[in-house]
């Protein structure tokens, strides 16, 4: 009997210890929930300074705060409050996006696929990558099956163009800031329509996966690609470029064609134009072109957010 009482006493001490150890965590969560409720109740505060302070505090909670905001949006009839909630949700998503871009930049590998998906998440934060990866892999495989070591650079590019523009049927347009989807990889693959920058980024993604030496050039006001002769770069990073590719249509043009264009826009034909851009520079250029879709009075916040991402890569 004594042994039984001792065992009960020992278990009781154990329960007491466990309760004491979890009490602070319970109270901390209770205090946190009280603060969350208070913050949500203050979103409609007419005092701008109070609203800014509340917004900044909500952002510190990160993505887990979004379900609370979505529920509040659904139960709120005031359109002005709904607009504030939408802006807060966008800021929360952007905070996570900014952190992901920093991680991509600091990783050093600078693969194009993850960064292009991150750019798409600026407008589609809940984007699922699996479908996009499947589409890109299918494209890569179709090209890979047709290409061999005996083909000339021009023949390789003709095969790539045939797959992208004929087999898949992607239609190219000029860059238009009224159509932001045409800059984004998932939307281009789904709609079969993209602009020079968007299709150019897809083109670079595919040739990078296939180890074909096509790179972004530094041609002003254009997203132009060049087929760089392998292993012929000089000490400054410039390369001997065989020919150039305009990616919205897949049109191939020569050095003479490029010289005529540069003369037309009064730009000197300097060696710097033939330095291939790194993947990091490619992503910066895509962001820069995409940013112009938001260069208006109604979307200043989005413009500034994209500017933040561009500065991150400078």
């Amino acid at each position: 009997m004594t042994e039984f009482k001792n065992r009960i006493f020992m278990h009781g001490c154990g329960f007491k210890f466990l309760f004491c150890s979890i009490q602070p965590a319970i109270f901390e969560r209770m205090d946190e929930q009280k603060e969350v409720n208070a913050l949500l109740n203050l979103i409609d505060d007419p005092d701008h300074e109070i609203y800014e302070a509340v917004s900044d505090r909500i952002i510190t909670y990160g993505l887990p705060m979004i379900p609370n905001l979505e529920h509040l949006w659904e139960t709120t009839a005031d359109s002005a409050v709904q607009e504030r909630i939408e802006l807060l949700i966008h800021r929360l998503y952007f905070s996570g996006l900014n952190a992901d871009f920093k991680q991509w930049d600091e990783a050093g590998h600078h693969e194009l696929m993850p960064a292009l998906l991150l750019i798409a998440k600026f407008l589609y934060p809940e984007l699922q990558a699996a479908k996009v990866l499947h589409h890109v892999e299918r494209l890569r495989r179709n090209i890979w099956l047709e290409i061999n070591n005996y083909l000339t650079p021009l023949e390789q590019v003709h095969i790539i163009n045939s797959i992208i523009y004929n087999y898949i049927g992607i239609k190219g347009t000029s860059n238009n800031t009224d159509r932001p989807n045409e800059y984004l990889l998932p939307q281009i693959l789904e709609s079969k329509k993209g602009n020079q920058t968007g299709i150019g980024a897809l083109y670079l993604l595919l040739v990078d996966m296939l180890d074909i030496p096509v790179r972004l050039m530094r041609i002003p006001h254009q997203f132009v690609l060049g087929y760089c002769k392998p292993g012929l770069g000089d000490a400054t990073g410039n390369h001997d470029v065989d020919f150039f590719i305009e990616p919205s249509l897949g049109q191939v043009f020569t050095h003479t064609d490029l010289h005529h264009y540069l003369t037309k826009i009064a730009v000197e034909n300097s060696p710097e134009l033939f330095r291939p851009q790194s993947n990091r520079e490619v992503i910066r250029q895509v962001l820069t072109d995409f940013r112009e879709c938001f260069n208006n009075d109604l979307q200043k916040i989005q413009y500034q957010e994209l500017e933040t991402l561009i500065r991150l890569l400078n």
Side-chain angles (χ1 to χ4, degrees):
M1 189 68 170
T2 303
E3 182 181 352
F4 176 76
K5 288 182 178 179
N6 287 339
R7 289 171 63 186
I8 293 295
F9 175 76
M10 291 293 290
H11 283 297
C13 290
F15 290 138
K16 183 177 181 181
F17 173 77
L18 177 62
F19 178 74
C20 291
S21 66
I22 65 175
Q23 258 190 324
I26 292 174
F27 290 139
E28 184 178 339
R29 286 198 297 271
M30 289 174 62
D31 290 341
E32 185 177 283
Q33 189 58 51
K34 287 179 181 178
E35 183 183 28
V36 167
N37 293 337
L39 291 169
L40 295 173
N41 288 330
L42 287 169
I43 286 178
D44 61 353
D45 197 291
D47 189 311
H48 185 70
E49 289 187 5
I50 291 177
Y51 168 68
E52 286 297 320
V54 167
S55 299
D56 291 341
R57 180 57 180 161
I58 286 174
I59 298 304
T60 65
Y61 276 89
L63 296 178
M65 192 69 165
I66 289 177
N68 293 303
L69 291 168
E70 289 176 336
H71 176 72
L72 182 61
W73 189 95
E74 292 169 355
T75 56
T76 299
D78 191 327
S79 60
V81 175
Q82 287 182 329
E83 187 174 332
R84 283 185 169 186
I85 294 169
E86 290 167 6
L87 181 58
L88 280 169
I89 291 174
H90 178 80
R91 285 185 62 189
L92 283 165
Y93 276 127
F94 179 75
S95 178
L97 184 66
N98 188 49
D100 288 341
F101 255 109
K102 284 182 180 178
Q103 186 176 3
W104 177 83
D105 187 42
E106 292 168 359
H109 308 301
H110 297 154
E111 294 179 0
L112 287 176
M113 176 68 86
L116 291 174
L117 290 174
L118 287 176
I119 295 174
K121 283 189 172 185
F122 183 79
L123 287 187
Y124 300 94
E126 297 182 351
L127 171 73
Q128 299 299 314
K131 187 177 180 181
V132 183
L133 296 172
H134 173 74
H135 279 310
V136 171
E137 175 55 25
R138 185 180 65 165
L139 269 170
R140 184 207 66 81
R141 181 170 176 79
N142 286 334
I143 296 169
W144 176 76
L145 289 172
E146 297 291 333
I147 283 182
N148 60 62
N149 295 332
Y150 301 104
L151 297 176
T152 66
L154 194 57
E155 287 171 335
Q156 289 181 341
V157 167
H158 283 325
I159 288 174
I160 296 170
N161 290 353
S162 178
I163 298 294
I164 292 176
Y165 306 104
N166 298 328
Y167 179 70
I168 300 298
I170 292 178
K171 305 298 180 185
T173 65
S174 58
N175 285 13
N176 187 325
T177 56
D178 293 329
R179 299 193 293 265
N181 277 354
E182 294 181 3
Y183 290 86
L184 305 178
L185 175 65
Q187 281 61 45
I188 292 170
L189 293 170
E190 184 175 341
S191 68
K192 305 294 192 294
K193 184 187 292 184
N195 57 31
Q196 187 186 70
T197 300
I199 298 177
L202 169 61
Y203 208 109
L204 290 169
L205 173 61
L206 292 169
V207 296
D208 194 38
M209 296 170 74
L210 293 160
D211 292 324
I212 296 173
V214 172
R215 303 288 184 266
L216 177 65
M217 297 286 103
R218 286 177 166 247
I219 311 304
H221 316 304
Q222 300 287 336
F223 199 94
V224 168
L225 316 180
Y227 192 106
C228 303
K229 293 181 180 179
L232 293 179
D234 62 23
T236 65
N238 295 324
H239 279 64
D240 188 0
V241 182
D242 252 359
F243 52 82
F244 305 92
I245 307 159
E246 192 287 300
S248 64
L249 301 174
Q251 182 179 358
V252 173
F253 59 96
T254 65
H255 282 264
T256 301
D257 297 325
L258 177 62
H259 179 70
H260 289 327
Y261 169 73
L262 295 174
T263 301
K264 184 178 179 180
I265 64 172
V267 172
E268 182 183 356
N269 191 352
S270 68
E272 179 63 17
L273 299 179
F274 303 100
R275 186 178 74 79
Q277 304 292 277
S278 67
N279 284 352
R280 192 169 183 267
E281 291 168 320
V282 168
I283 294 304
R284 188 171 62 208
Q285 187 61 54
V286 174
L287 284 168
T288 300
D289 294 346
F290 179 54
R291 177 190 58 181
E292 292 308 305
C293 296
F294 308 93
N295 191 8
N296 56 67
D297 291 337
L298 297 177
Q299 295 173 298
K300 287 181 179 178
I301 291 175
Q302 288 90 335
Y303 185 91
Q304 292 167 356
E305 288 172 341
L306 289 168
E307 181 67 28
T308 298
L309 297 180
I310 293 166
R311 284 199 303 269
L312 182 67
L313 301 179
N314 284 338

